Amino acid sequence: MMTRRATFGLLGAPALLGACQITAVHGDPSAANFGPTAFHGRFVWTHSSPRFGGFSGLHLAENGRDFWALSDRGTLWQGRFTRGADDAITRVDVAQIHVLKGRDAAPLPRSGADAEAIALGRDGTVFIAFEGGAQARISAYAMPSRAGRDLPRHRDFSAFAANQSLEALAIDPAGRLHTLPEAPQADGFAVFRLDGGAWSVIGHIPQRGEFMVVGADFGPDGNFYLLERQFRRALFSTRISRIQPGNWASVQTLLQTQRGQFDNHEGISVTRTQAGRLRATLISDDNFNWFQRTEILEFLLP
């Protein structure tokens, strides 16, 4: 894989200028066998802000360039990707960094700021899923710089383990929110859907191996895309699957990486390339560790 180098800018804030690059990882990812899915690019994103890192959620606009990246330390990063002639990411520019607020308009305390997933409504409302045991919830932000509004909770939300609760959030073509916990229950991973102000369990996705749910999105084709992660001894494996809504028990695996091949990917957004191919964009959570990185991966889906 050719190494890409690109400058990094924060729009309107030159004091935070830095540098970022794409580097090879465990050989050439483009030469690896990903089955029916094709590797499209890898970008390592760096930034000088002490708030940078911990990205657990990603939303990419239909244009494939404007993005929202969610950190599990309670910040939301808004920016834009620059793409080259091959439509791969060559640069990241950040327009704004929002510190998420609670109902009282004060910044969220560390104990309540474990933001894990993001979805954007048609009207621009930003929905964010938080885990944390009894504090597991989904909040709506009319504007990310303003106070959040907690949505109604399902009774099961507070029963999930503190660090294995709401990890995925997605909006279907009808505008309905869906969420899933990281860990399965007896019947598998419960799929919760919000209808008329109340959550209900509409199905279960079977657990396959040791993978846990970390992200989800509805693609432009109307299908549901599930991101799962497996890790042992700080080495991660990533899996992307496709599910037809309503047929939750039938899961098509599109990609499964080798353990240690990439970093800890927790956010997924599915869009189309300029040529019309389905594209999955993933972002990794570096856990604010020096030996991990914020890695943006892209794959072309069959």
Side-chain angles (χ1 to χ4, degrees):
M1 178 182 179
M2 181 179 296
T3 299
R4 286 186 175 87
R5 294 185 180 273
T7 58
F8 177 94
L10 178 69
L11 302 181
L16 292 182
L17 290 177
C20 59
Q21 61 182 11
I22 296 178
T23 54
V25 55
H26 297 280
D28 183 354
S30 64
N33 181 12
F34 295 114
T37 297
F39 177 78
H40 187 57
R42 174 179 178 268
F43 192 93
V44 176
W45 179 20
T46 62
H47 195 282
S48 59
S49 169
R51 295 185 181 276
F52 181 79
F55 292 106
S56 299
L58 178 70
H59 173 84
L60 189 57
E62 290 183 6
N63 62 17
R65 297 176 181 270
D66 298 315
F67 74 88
W68 299 85
L70 178 69
S71 170
D72 60 15
R73 295 285 179 88
T75 58
L76 183 59
W77 297 59
Q78 185 178 1
R80 185 174 176 85
F81 297 148
T82 296
R83 295 184 178 274
D86 59 356
D87 210 25
I89 298 169
T90 59
R91 177 184 172 100
V92 177
D93 289 295
V94 176
Q96 295 186 70
I97 305 170
H98 306 278
V99 177
L100 297 175
K101 300 177 176 62
R103 289 172 294 177
D104 58 359
L108 291 170
R110 178 71 178 272
S111 60
D114 191 0
E116 293 291 340
I118 182 173
L120 261 67
R122 295 174 180 172
D123 62 355
T125 300
V126 179
F127 297 96
I128 294 177
F130 296 87
E131 66 174 6
Q135 296 194 65
R137 67 198 186 280
I138 295 173
S139 298
Y141 291 82
M143 295 182 66
S145 58
R146 297 182 180 176
R149 172 178 60 87
D150 291 346
L151 301 184
R153 290 159 42 96
H154 190 278
R155 61 181 179 274
D156 290 350
F157 287 2
S158 59
F160 297 137
N163 198 37
Q164 292 185 327
S165 58
L166 304 181
E167 279 276 343
L169 192 62
I171 297 180
D172 69 10
R176 298 171 297 189
L177 277 172
H178 294 63
T179 190
L180 292 87
E182 178 178 359
Q185 291 73 52
D187 296 328
F189 299 97
V191 182
F192 295 86
R193 186 175 70 195
L194 183 64
D195 273 311
W199 292 95
S200 60
V201 177
I202 61 169
H204 290 82
I205 298 173
Q207 184 181 21
R208 298 165 297 146
E210 299 178 357
F211 282 83
M212 299 294 184
V213 168
V214 288
D217 193 21
F218 281 92
D221 59 350
N223 285 316
F224 184 80
Y225 291 87
L226 183 70
L227 179 66
E228 297 171 285
R229 174 195 61 199
Q230 178 193 62
F231 70 93
R232 295 178 187 171
R233 299 179 180 178
L235 295 176
F236 303 92
S237 179
T238 293
R239 185 166 68 191
I240 301 174
S241 300
R242 178 160 53 210
I243 303 171
Q244 184 178 8
N247 194 13
W248 301 105
S250 181
V251 184
Q252 178 190 11
T253 299
L254 303 178
L255 165 76
Q256 184 170 319
T257 66
Q258 298 176 4
R259 189 157 52 97
Q261 188 173 14
F262 297 111
D263 214 290
N264 174 32
H265 287 270
E266 293 195 11
I268 181 171
S269 188
V270 179
T271 56
R272 288 196 186 274
T273 66
Q274 293 180 345
R277 290 285 304 274
L278 281 171
R279 171 181 56 208
T281 305
L282 313 182
I283 194 167
S284 67
D285 176 1
D286 67 354
N287 294 301
F288 291 88
N289 287 327
W290 65 267
F291 55 87
Q292 291 183 258
R293 67 202 67 175
T294 298
E295 186 179 65
I296 301 171
L297 291 180
E298 294 197 301
F299 297 94
L300 300 180
L301 306 179

